[in-house]
Amino acid sequence: MGCIESLKYEIILRDASFTECRDYIRSSCREYVDVDPGFKIFDKHIIGVPPISIGFEGDVIIFPFTKPCYGTFLMRIEDHDEAERIRKSASRKKK
Amino acid sequence: MTNEQVHKEKSAVLVLGCPQVPVQTGIALYLISALRKKGVRTVIAGNRAARTLVEVSDPERHYVGEVMDIDRYIGEIAETKRAFDYHFIFIHNDAGVSYAATVQAITGKTVVALIYGEHFQEIAGMITFPCEKIAAKAVHNPMPLKNKLDEVLPWVVSNL
């Protein structure tokens, strides 16, 4: 997972589909943004079928992370600066 | 126009998925051979296991040229450091669909999805973005997918 692997993360869903991750974020997070594939999060280009939803719980970021052999993980990572950067740079805000 | 511009070599990237379905490596080498005959230079992008299988299968590098990590490939096309004429995405699971959608969204090009495995129809049905689908129920026997590829590849190389 590169630099994401070195962060303190929590896995919410394992071997999920991209639609399961999007549905979880949209139904569970009071705040979320939609981004396009290739959007950078923790210095990695996000993989997925657009629109890709990224959720927030304060400084906690909830986002899908896809690996070829392991499918998609839905992850939680707390990072104030990255959460603020995503909020500012994501084009479409929801809720 | 210079002679070099007239004969500019086209390039294709083969984006390999998890190599858990046996046909992937054989079809990748077959596709490299077929594209080379059409004058297309190929690059392989994949995770370590997928790349290693291809490299071990062609130790003298008769077919395999440049090989790169799949994350580096995504990064380089996203940051427009690299561009390819054709993107062939090997898909047998949900993650493969996500990679294909990502490549299509980043490049704006019609990608070529090679869909195989036990659940190929279900996987093909998940693809709703612009895409040329080549799909067959191929798990251990590569022939159904090879035959589909033979039918479609001349059109793909001429039209995409």
Side-chain angles (χ1 to χ4, degrees):
Chain A
M1 288 188 201
C3 65
I4 289 178
E5 210 169 37
S6 65
L7 299 170
K8 191 178 170 189
Y9 62 85
E10 185 187 323
I11 295 172
I12 301 170
L13 298 176
R14 191 183 294 273
D15 197 18
S17 69
F18 54 82
T19 47
E20 285 169 339
C21 291
R22 186 192 298 148
D23 292 347
Y24 182 97
I25 289 168
R26 291 185 175 189
S27 62
S28 306
C29 299
R30 279 179 295 178
E31 180 191 3
Y32 69 89
V33 295
D34 284 344
V35 300
D36 290 322
F39 180 87
K40 264 193 164 180
I41 179 165
F42 294 109
D43 216 30
K44 285 282 253 194
H45 295 279
I46 201 163
I47 303 295
V49 177
I52 301 172
S53 296
I54 299 176
F56 303 98
E57 290 171 4
D59 288 340
V60 175
I61 308 159
I62 297 145
F63 64 99
F65 188 79
T66 302
K67 298 297 283 180
C69 286
Y70 302 101
T72 301
F73 297 88
L74 188 64
M75 306 183 76
R76 282 169 58 95
I77 296 181
E78 185 170 358
D79 189 305
H80 172 78
D81 292 345
E82 186 68 352
E84 285 305 300
R85 187 193 67 78
I86 295 168
R87 283 185 175 106
K88 284 177 187 160
S89 54
S91 55
R92 285 170 287 167
K93 290 214 168 193
K94 300 276 182 170
K95 282 191 180 174
Chain B
M1 193 176 280
T2 67
N3 202 37
E4 189 182 336
Q5 284 170 316
V6 171
H7 298 291
K8 187 177 180 298
E9 188 179 40
K10 290 205 166 187
S11 63
V13 59
L14 280 62
V15 184
L16 304 184
C18 173
Q20 71 185 112
V21 181
V23 299
Q24 177 171 271
T25 303
I27 288 292
L29 291 171
Y30 181 79
L31 178 56
I32 292 171
S33 171
L35 286 167
R36 183 185 282 188
K37 285 176 188 164
K38 295 181 184 306
V40 179
R41 185 174 54 83
T42 57
V43 174
I44 292 271
N47 69 1
R48 184 189 295 271
R51 297 192 318 260
T52 306
L53 270 165
V54 169
E55 289 177 311
V56 167
S57 302
D58 182 21
E60 304 296 328
R61 296 267 184 162
H62 293 298
Y63 298 100
V64 179
E66 183 183 350
V67 174
M68 68 194 299
D69 176 71
I70 193 165
D71 290 334
R72 184 161 73 88
Y73 157 70
I74 294 292
E76 292 195 352
I77 60 170
E79 292 163 16
T80 61
K81 290 178 182 169
R82 289 287 291 265
F84 298 93
D85 296 291
Y86 312 104
H87 299 258
F88 291 88
I89 320 290
F90 286 64
I91 303 172
H92 69 88
N93 60 10
D94 186 273
V97 177
S98 291
Y99 273 95
T102 301
V103 173
Q104 196 281 321
I106 289 171
T107 63
K109 293 179 79 102
T110 300
V111 301
V112 184
L114 283 91
I115 309 157
Y116 52 96
E118 198 68 44
H119 308 290
F120 77 103
Q121 285 172 318
E122 185 187 330
I123 298 290
M126 293 162 70
I127 298 176
T128 54
F129 46 87
C131 174
E132 186 62 39
K133 296 179 193 174
I134 302 173
K137 185 173 182 173
V139 180
H140 296 96
N141 177 6
M143 292 311 286
L145 191 56
K146 176 210 169 279
N147 291 340
K148 284 275 172 70
L149 204 49
D150 288 342
E151 284 172 27
V152 178
L153 195 61
W155 183 91
V156 166
V157 172
S158 305
N159 293 281
L160 294 186

